[in-house]
Amino acid sequence: MRAFLIIAAAFLIQGTVQTAQAEDIPLPRAKPDPNAPAPAQEDQIINLLDREPEPLFSDAQLPYAPTRSFDAGEGDGLGQGALYLMAKLTQDSQPLNDGLIWRIYSETTNANGKLELVATSQGGDAEFRLDPGAYLVHTAYGYAQSTNRVVIGKEIQSKMLTLNAGGIKFGAAMKDGEGIDEEQVTFDVYGMTFDERGERNKIVGNVTPGSIVRLSADTYHVVSRYGSVNAVIRADIQVLPGKLTEATILHKAADITLKLVNERGGEAIANTTWSVLSAGGHVVVEATGAFPDFVLAAGEYEALARNNGRTYLHTFEVVPGQDREVEVVTSISELASQANVLNN
């Protein structure tokens, strides 16, 4: 089905994260300078996290003035090093103040063959006391992630991550501009590549209209569903670093309620089994009850109602934005009229 999409971009102040590069920070009085130039990157390493590592931290060691004092009397504090971490959305943006999740893993695996989680922190900047050695620093911000390597000695050092990311704000409407029941609309976000089974990797599902999803700067395949039947729109949406993309998906569908009645305007007959067929004769949806309700994509359909051993057929059309009741009448005169229409 053709995708109808309205996209607008705005600057994202607290955006998303993925591709990360490390830059060393000159000696400040309180915290590292977020605008320091980035050093050359090291080679990537293979680790046992759930994704490939991003470009690594530099191993250059630069001291900084920590924001919080360390108690030298705590455990083996005198033999540990201090690591101060900050992240910003783009090269020119300000450091992020919240929404970050930092995880520190040991570089070597434990007896179970897994990386050991050493420490975690949530919010903006983070400080860690670590024994000397090599570690993997996993950074998550929304649905974007990055993994970097750092070597810790007994000194204090600081690092800045530059995160190449943005976000999408989702919206939905009817193609003619009319309103839509947003409670029945959801969005799924997929990557652009396919796996060996020919399926896309789902990044996040069941996103509701008005939600903002933070993502790495890239192009994504978005699937919007209105209802649970066949009103589905697909679109490829690009996320730009440091910006919020406002994407409004335009649907062509309507909410249809079916009724089996003895005469036009009559009471609905209970215990009715329904099948809705496409113009090509394929079953679109089935249900049982007096008032089955579906959101259907625009087009022509046939409603088959079965009750008390009899089957009744009615052809109807779904017009975008025109929610309505469709009556299937059991009277002989109505069935004869339908037969004449079908024969002609």
Side-chain angles (χ1 to χ4, degrees):
M1 184 175 295
R2 283 186 66 186
F4 296 91
L5 178 67
I6 298 175
I7 298 179
F11 284 104
L12 180 65
I13 296 178
Q14 301 263 348
T16 320
V17 186
Q18 177 188 7
T19 332
Q21 66 182 24
E23 50 181 272
D24 295 318
I25 309 169
L27 178 62
R29 294 182 179 178
K31 288 188 176 182
D33 180 5
N35 298 314
Q41 304 296 329
E42 295 185 352
D43 294 334
Q44 292 186 346
I45 62 172
I46 298 176
N47 62 71
L48 299 182
L49 295 176
D50 56 359
R51 67 197 307 273
E52 290 298 318
E54 303 296 339
L56 308 179
F57 278 118
S58 166
D59 281 338
Q61 309 295 321
L62 291 179
Y64 82 110
T67 58
R68 295 180 287 275
S69 61
F70 293 115
D71 185 359
E74 284 187 9
D76 298 328
L78 289 176
Q80 292 181 317
L83 176 64
Y84 177 60
L85 300 173
M86 296 179 69
K88 55 185 180 180
L89 191 59
T90 65
Q91 189 72 27
D92 300 324
S93 64
Q94 296 298 313
L96 297 168
N97 294 321
D98 56 44
L100 290 164
I101 300 177
W102 303 92
R103 296 182 178 92
I104 310 295
Y105 291 88
S106 62
E107 189 178 38
T108 57
T109 58
N110 57 23
N112 297 323
K114 297 182 179 180
L115 296 175
E116 181 181 355
L117 180 63
V118 177
T120 63
S121 178
Q122 297 186 31
D125 57 339
E127 294 182 12
F128 299 96
R129 290 296 296 270
L130 300 168
D131 293 330
Y135 297 88
L136 298 176
V137 180
H138 183 267
T139 311
Y141 192 64
Y143 288 92
Q145 305 175 57
S146 111
T147 304
N148 297 279
R149 180 176 183 268
V150 64
V151 176
I152 300 296
K154 296 182 180 180
E155 71 285 351
I156 297 173
Q157 60 176 295
S158 55
K159 301 290 182 182
M160 172 71 77
L161 287 176
T162 298
L163 306 166
N164 183 35
I168 303 177
K169 182 177 182 179
F170 291 97
M174 300 304 298
K175 188 175 184 299
D176 57 6
E178 295 185 10
I180 193 171
D181 182 3
E182 292 189 343
E183 292 185 356
Q184 298 195 65
V185 178
T186 59
F187 303 87
D188 295 336
V189 180
Y190 296 84
M192 296 298 292
T193 59
F194 296 90
D195 60 20
E196 61 277 4
R197 296 178 297 178
E199 298 178 354
R200 297 179 188 268
N201 174 47
K202 180 185 284 189
I203 298 171
V204 55
N206 294 321
V207 179
T208 56
S211 301
I212 295 176
V213 178
R214 294 162 176 163
L215 296 162
S216 304
D218 206 341
T219 300
Y220 297 88
H221 186 73
V222 175
V223 178
S224 178
R225 290 179 171 82
Y226 180 24
S228 59
V229 184
N230 66 342
V232 180
I233 298 294
R234 299 173 179 269
D236 293 339
I237 300 177
Q238 184 179 15
V239 174
L240 300 175
K243 293 186 178 181
L244 177 67
T245 299
E246 298 189 18
T248 299
I249 303 294
L250 303 181
H251 280 272
K252 297 176 65 178
D255 194 311
I256 302 298
T257 301
L258 300 177
K259 295 172 58 179
L260 179 65
V261 296
N262 289 320
E263 59 182 5
R264 294 254 175 225
E267 293 293 327
I269 301 175
N271 300 319
T272 301
T273 300
W274 296 89
S275 295
V276 177
L277 308 181
S278 67
H282 301 288
V283 176
V284 177
V285 64
E286 294 180 317
T288 300
F291 299 97
D293 180 87
F294 316 104
V295 174
L296 297 174
E300 189 174 276
Y301 299 88
E302 289 182 335
L304 270 67
R306 300 177 181 87
N307 185 275
N308 199 24
R310 295 183 178 180
T311 300
Y312 307 93
L313 173 66
H314 178 71
T315 301
F316 66 98
E317 183 180 2
V318 175
V319 179
Q322 295 186 15
D323 302 342
R324 65 188 182 98
E325 289 185 346
V326 172
E327 293 183 335
V328 179
V329 183
T330 65
S331 65
I332 299 298
S333 60
E334 180 71 20
L335 292 175
S337 175
Q338 291 182 17
N340 291 332
V341 171
L342 294 174
N343 292 331
N344 294 331

